[in-house]
Amino acid sequence: MDTRTGLPVVGMIGGGQLARMTHQSAIALGQSLRVLATSPDDGAALVAADVQVGSHLDLSALRDFAKGCDVVTFDHEHVPGEHIRALAADGVAVYPSADALQYAQNKRLMRERLTELGAPMPRWRPVSRISDVREFGDEVGWPIIGKAATGGYDGKGVWVLAGPEPAAELLAQGVELIVEEKVTLDRELAVQVARSPFGQVAAYPVVETVQQDGICVEVLAPAPGLSADQAAEIQQLGIRIATELNVVGMLAVELFVDADGRFSVNELAMRPHNSGHWTIEGARTSQFEQHLRAVLDYPMGDTSAAAPVVVMANVLGGPDGGMPIDERLHHLFAAEPGVKVHLYGKQVRPGRKIGHVTALGDDLARTRARAARAAHWLTYGEEMS
């Protein structure tokens, strides 16, 4: 406990935007969030009072960081499992555990476990030889999708394979590869579930995520055109996965929906997630507060939406030059005073997520247009054409 407040100390490994926004929720709850950042310039390190600089790959740095924390959690999934197990063996409460987090760190393990659970998924197979790739492609039809079992994000580590030959180079490089059938996508959905050590769960409304070049650019909440029965089925799937995998904290389940309306699990994330940024203004309890509640074993908060329609649009780094970001904010606030802006304190690089905007309303088309206009202003410093 923090002796100054009488409240728990939560340690978050990783100093990016997820830790930055978790810190904002911790302030309201009176908690002291301790952050392990790789650099004093990381987004959370710029705003949090209790920051240690060190590598998440360094067990000694992790052990030093965990001293005095009531619970340790993550803003990313890159901490080695053996380090997490070592902290747990030291008596540190770490959530999610290594046994749960492995299914978000390794796509092969995830697919194997979800297959055991009977969760809907694309057909898939681990491959170690070019003949395995050829056999799978001939079986399900070309093209197929190749995925690195570990390390991929935002479209990285994913390849569309028109034939077996491109996989040969990946295998030769030592990439642990799985292959999946290419789903004829109609759209993508996501559901977030929070779970506490006690086993209480809370599910958020199902959302639609819009991707460009493998990067999420927009989230629509609730997912338009989804029946109440379909939404409940997806929420129940998320709850079942969280329970069976013994997840503690936030779990995001990303789903494909094909042209026939059938959904299948694409990926899992065991932390606050980009698909849930809309909850800061758009839900009664944000995903960041909910994650804190979950890892501290507090009762879960209300997940209902605060408006009929909520749209979150990511702000990506635009081309060099142009209007300074402060001037862009001036113009944006004059044009769209009701849109909420979150900037992450990150250096701008083309295509990099540097923030997001959220618009609330009662009409999807108008709310979506407001969010898109705001994100475009912050990215390019100009009105949309």
Side-chain angles (χ1 to χ4, degrees):
M1 293 289 178
D2 188 322
T3 56
R4 299 164 297 178
T5 64
L7 290 165
V9 177
V10 176
M12 182 162 265
I13 298 171
Q17 64 260 29
L18 300 181
R20 184 183 177 104
M21 289 182 275
T22 304
H23 169 65
Q24 293 171 321
S25 289
I27 291 172
L29 297 179
Q31 292 168 355
S32 304
L33 186 75
R34 178 178 296 172
V35 175
L36 180 67
T38 57
S39 164
D41 296 328
D42 287 352
L46 296 175
V47 295
D50 189 356
V51 178
Q52 292 187 21
V53 176
S55 172
H56 59 273
L57 302 176
D58 182 348
L59 179 56
S60 62
L62 294 173
R63 281 180 160 142
D64 183 60
F65 173 74
K67 292 175 182 175
C69 291
D70 292 273
V71 62
V72 171
T73 187
F74 314 96
D75 98 328
H76 59 68
E77 290 142 345
H78 307 310
V79 180
E82 61 267 25
H83 290 1
I84 300 172
R85 290 185 172 89
L87 291 179
D90 292 343
V92 179
V94 187
Y95 298 123
S97 68
D99 288 344
L101 193 62
Q102 64 180 334
Y103 299 114
Q105 294 174 320
N106 187 301
K107 294 180 178 64
R108 179 182 61 80
L109 294 179
M110 177 198 73
R111 290 290 187 220
E112 289 174 347
R113 186 71 178 99
L114 294 185
T115 298
E116 293 174 358
L117 297 179
M121 290 188 299
R123 287 175 289 178
W124 75 282
R125 188 173 301 165
V127 291
S128 58
R129 301 185 299 266
I130 192 67
S131 58
D132 298 333
V133 179
R134 181 180 295 106
E135 179 182 331
F136 181 79
D138 290 343
E139 177 184 324
V140 304
W142 301 93
I144 60 174
I145 303 297
K147 291 183 177 180
T150 60
Y153 68 97
D154 281 351
K156 298 178 177 65
V158 179
W159 303 271
V160 178
L161 306 176
E165 291 76 17
E169 183 177 352
L170 297 172
L171 293 170
Q173 293 170 355
V175 175
E176 184 184 359
L177 194 66
I178 67 170
V179 289
E180 300 176 0
E181 66 176 317
K182 188 175 186 295
V183 176
T184 304
L185 274 180
D186 180 62
R187 60 175 173 167
E188 296 186 52
L189 303 177
V191 65
Q192 286 189 296
V193 174
R195 183 175 178 274
S196 70
F198 180 73
Q200 185 186 11
V201 293
Y204 283 89
V206 180
V207 301
E208 179 174 347
T209 62
V210 180
Q211 320 287 325
Q212 290 180 3
D213 300 323
I215 298 175
C216 177
V217 296
E218 190 179 36
V219 175
L220 314 177
L226 196 67
S227 72
D229 287 346
Q230 289 172 318
E233 184 180 358
I234 291 171
Q235 288 174 317
Q236 287 296 328
L237 173 65
I239 289 170
R240 181 168 176 243
I241 291 172
T243 302
E244 293 285 354
L245 271 53
N246 198 26
V247 177
V248 171
M250 291 300 304
L251 167 71
V253 182
E254 299 180 77
L255 302 126
F256 292 143
V257 182
D258 68 17
D260 295 320
R262 295 172 299 194
F263 62 86
S264 56
V265 176
N266 177 26
E267 292 190 359
L268 305 178
M270 297 180 190
R271 52 175 168 75
H273 189 257
N274 191 224
S275 65
H277 290 352
W278 68 274
T279 63
I280 298 175
E281 289 84 24
R284 301 298 178 188
T285 307
S286 80
Q287 66 163 339
F288 300 100
E289 178 181 334
Q290 199 80 291
H291 187 72
L292 289 169
R293 288 188 185 217
V295 300
L296 288 167
D297 213 5
Y298 289 172
M300 298 291 95
D302 184 354
T303 59
S304 60
V309 175
V310 185
V311 177
M312 187 281 293
N314 280 317
V315 177
L316 305 181
D320 293 336
M323 187 184 296
I325 189 67
D326 182 57
E327 189 175 349
R328 297 181 193 195
L329 282 170
H330 277 269
H331 284 273
L332 169 58
F333 288 151
E336 292 287 353
V339 170
K340 300 297 290 186
V341 174
H342 296 262
L343 295 176
Y344 304 152
K346 297 166 80 171
Q347 292 295 311
V348 176
R349 292 200 301 266
R352 186 187 198 191
K353 291 177 187 173
I354 61 169
H356 74 268
V357 298
T358 307
L360 281 66
D362 54 17
D363 178 83
L364 177 60
R366 287 198 298 269
T367 307
R368 195 173 184 179
R370 289 169 54 219
R373 180 190 189 193
H376 187 89
W377 249 118
L378 292 176
T379 296
Y380 297 103
E382 63 183 21
E383 280 280 11
M384 295 180 70
S385 57

